[in-house]
């Protein structure tokens, strides 16, 4: 029996709490938080990212997050809160569920990058070509 994207998203949203940009800003201010952009590189290059966010495309997430992987990224630690975002929230939800499955407990979804920017969140602008 196959599963639809709608069902995958429903399962992810059931275990990964959605938070507001204001709630995310408060968590970031407290420290010990990894803000994670799971969009593809061209998206990040075009729009920038949340100030201080770590970029790992959705396709590499599990490899970067698993401490036993040869591709592990030391920015990931299971004692940190992880706040994810993408363009609209779908990939962030799926990524959050994957992190939960890997043993990360404090995982949150703020939805889309635009939501953050529209609410006055700090943004690192992309570098102009040729710079």
């Amino acid at each position: 029996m196959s599963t639809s994207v709608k069902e995958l998203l429903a399962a992810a949203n059931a275990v990964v709490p959605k938070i507001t940009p204001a709630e995310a800003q408060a968590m970031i201010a407290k420290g010990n938080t990894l803000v994670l952009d799971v969009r593809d590189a061209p998206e990040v290059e075009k729009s920038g990212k949340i100030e201080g966010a770590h970029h790992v495309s959705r396709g590499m997430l599990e490899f970067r997050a698993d401490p036993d992987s040869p591709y592990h990224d030391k920015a990931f630690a299971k004692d940190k809160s992880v706040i994810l975002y993408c363009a609209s929230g779908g990939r962030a939800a799926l990524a959050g569920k994957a992190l939960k499955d890997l043993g990360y407990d404090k995982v949150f979804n703020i939805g889309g990058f635009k939501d953050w920017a529209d609410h006055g969140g700090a943004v690192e602008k992309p570098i102009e070509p040729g710079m």
Side-chain angles (χ1 to χ4, degrees), residues 5 15 21 26 31 40 44 60-61 81 86 90 103 131:
V5 170
V15 297
D40 292 334
V44 178
M60 287 300 295
L61 179 72
S81 294
C86 59
M131 296 186 83

Side-chain angles (χ1 to χ4, degrees), residues 91-108:
R91 287 175 286 177
L94 295 173
K97 171 121 178 17
L99 290 176
K100 289 277 206 170
D101 292 346
L102 287 170
Y104 289 79
D105 292 324
K106 299 171 278 187
V107 180
F108 305 90

Side-chain angles (χ1 to χ4, degrees), residues 19-31 33 35 50-51 83 108 110 115-123:
I19 61 173
T20 67
E23 290 170 320
Q25 288 171 334
M27 289 174 67
I28 293 165
K30 288 181 182 176
T33 301
V35 180
I50 290 176
E51 187 175 77
I83 300 172
F108 305 90
I110 60 171
D115 298 327
W116 174 267
D118 287 350
H119 285 90
V123 172

Side-chain angles (χ1 to χ4, degrees), residues 17-19 38-39 83-93 108-116:
K18 183 99 187 251
I19 61 173
V38 295
R39 296 176 296 162
I83 300 172
L84 298 116
Y85 70 95
C86 59
S88 63
R91 287 175 286 177
F108 305 90
N109 180 359
I110 60 171
F113 174 75
K114 187 177 183 325
D115 298 327
W116 174 267

Side-chain angles (χ1 to χ4, degrees), residues 42-85:
E43 294 173 279
V44 178
E45 290 168 5
K46 182 179 178 183
S47 65
K49 61 182 179 131
I50 290 176
E51 187 175 77
H54 196 69
H55 174 247
V56 174
S57 66
R58 175 64 191 97
M60 287 300 295
L61 179 72
E62 291 85 348
F63 298 100
R64 300 284 189 228
D66 184 349
D68 294 328
S69 167
Y71 304 103
H72 179 251
D73 183 328
K74 293 188 186 330
F76 287 83
K78 293 183 180 179
D79 67 329
K80 291 183 180 179
S81 294
V82 181
I83 300 172
L84 298 116
Y85 70 95

